[in-house]
């Protein structure tokens, strides 16, 4: 199979096995943006607790978060790791939204590459977080590369595990149509596979819907 055919087969198998993932879990684009920052280095359950704290404090809006003392913000998001640093990151993020009058439609109206550069210019926002915001909050066709995706691609020998972020991203964008809905579902399915089946260091073996496409189980046996 060609790379494009392989990627499509992977998607079809994951969707058939796991079903639609309904990502990103967030009620508004702003909540998605906050979640993208808070989920760095922490499980989603901890992020949900932090977001619930912000909602209970009526602080889950750019305006409210901007007025909140940073010490109080850090206390509210304490369930997440590195909460003091993440409080600074959220304060930096609301500076960006403030440049558009806290109008996310206005903020997201520009060119994708320009918006990505602006996001990457915000303190604490790297490529994965920026692309998560672009895909899940702004609805742009940008494929998100995370640790799960990197592991799966490496085990399937579709890419070097140590390949640069944008090289892995191009693997999808060069061989799949530029479709935000497809990228959304595909990334979510890869995360599900990585969390539940293609784990580190374990391998799901025959329980994995990609087992006959992946050389990794055989490598484990040989080792």
């Amino acid at each position: 199979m060609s790379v494009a055919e392989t990627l499509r087969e992977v998607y079809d198998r994951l969707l058939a096995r796991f079903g639609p993932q309904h990502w990103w879990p967030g009620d508004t684009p702003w909540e998605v943006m906050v979640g993208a920052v808070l989920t760095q280095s922490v499980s989603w359950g901890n992020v949900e607790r932090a977001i619930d704290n912000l909602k209970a404090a009526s602080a889950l809006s750019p305006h409210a978060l901007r007025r909140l003392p940073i010490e109080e913000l850090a206390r509210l998001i304490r369930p997440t790791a590195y909460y003091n640093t993440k409080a600074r990151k959220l304060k930096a993020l609301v500076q960006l939204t403030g440049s558009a009058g806290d109008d996310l439609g206005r903020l997201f109206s520009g060119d994708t590459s320009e918006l990505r550069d602006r996001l990457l210019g915000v303190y604490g926002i790297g490529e994965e977080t920026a692309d998560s915001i672009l895909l899940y909050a702004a609805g742009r066709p940008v494929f998100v590369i995370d640790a799960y995706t990197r592991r799966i691609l490496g085990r399937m020998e579709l890419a070097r595990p140590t390949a640069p972020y944008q090289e892995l991203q191009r693997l999808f964008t060069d061989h799949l149509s530029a479709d935000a809905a497809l990228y959304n579902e595909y990334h979510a399915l890869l995360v599900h596979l990585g969390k539940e089946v293609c784990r580190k260091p374990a391998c799901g073996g025959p329980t994995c819907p990609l087992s006959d496409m992946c050389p990794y189980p055989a490598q484990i046996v040989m080792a």
Side-chain angles (χ1 to χ4, degrees):
M1 287 190 290
S2 67
V3 173
E5 290 170 331
T6 299
L7 291 176
R8 194 72 211 195
E9 178 69 12
V10 168
Y11 175 79
D12 289 342
R13 289 192 186 196
L14 296 182
L15 186 61
R17 173 68 67 86
F18 302 128
Q21 298 298 294
H22 306 292
W23 261 37
W24 182 293
D27 295 331
T28 65
W30 172 246
E31 186 173 329
V32 171
M33 295 174 74
V34 171
V37 171
L38 295 182
T39 198
Q40 296 172 357
S41 305
V42 72
S43 69
W44 186 253
N46 293 59
V47 175
E48 288 182 317
R49 287 190 284 275
I51 288 178
D52 286 344
N53 288 346
L54 291 171
K55 288 180 176 178
S58 299
L60 193 58
S61 72
H63 176 72
L65 197 150
R66 185 178 296 109
R67 298 182 62 185
L68 195 68
I70 194 168
E71 297 80 10
E72 176 64 8
L73 175 57
R75 185 188 69 80
L76 292 172
I77 63 172
R78 191 179 181 90
T80 67
Y82 313 111
Y83 49 89
N84 287 317
T85 300
K86 287 179 180 177
R88 291 177 57 203
K89 293 178 181 181
L90 290 176
K91 285 290 189 179
L93 188 60
V94 294
Q95 288 184 340
L96 176 65
T97 63
S99 68
D102 289 338
D103 182 344
L104 296 188
R106 178 181 163 194
L107 178 66
F108 294 155
S109 64
D111 176 76
T112 298
S113 60
E114 179 182 340
L115 177 56
R116 189 177 194 268
D117 287 342
R118 293 186 69 189
L119 287 166
L120 290 173
V122 174
Y123 168 76
I125 292 187
E127 290 184 298
E128 181 183 338
T129 302
D131 290 341
S132 294
I133 291 172
L134 287 169
L135 177 61
Y136 293 110
R140 300 299 178 88
V142 177
F143 205 97
V144 178
I145 301 298
D146 58 17
Y148 299 117
T149 302
R150 186 178 289 276
R151 180 193 310 154
I152 294 164
L153 293 177
R155 288 182 175 181
M156 294 191 69
E157 298 182 354
L158 289 170
R160 295 176 296 116
T162 57
Y165 183 98
Q166 292 189 345
E167 180 179 321
L168 297 179
Q169 191 175 57
R170 286 194 299 270
L171 181 70
F172 294 94
T173 57
D174 287 353
H175 296 97
L176 297 172
S177 59
D179 183 335
L182 172 63
Y183 291 180
N184 180 318
E185 194 65 70
Y186 207 146
H187 174 241
L189 288 165
L190 289 171
V191 170
H192 185 94
L193 180 71
K195 292 174 75 171
E196 303 298 331
V197 181
C198 187
R199 304 175 71 176
K200 183 180 180 180
C203 168
T207 67
C208 177
L210 309 178
S211 60
D212 63 325
M213 300 176 64
C214 181
Y216 187 71
Q219 293 174 2
I220 293 178
V221 173
M222 291 176 63

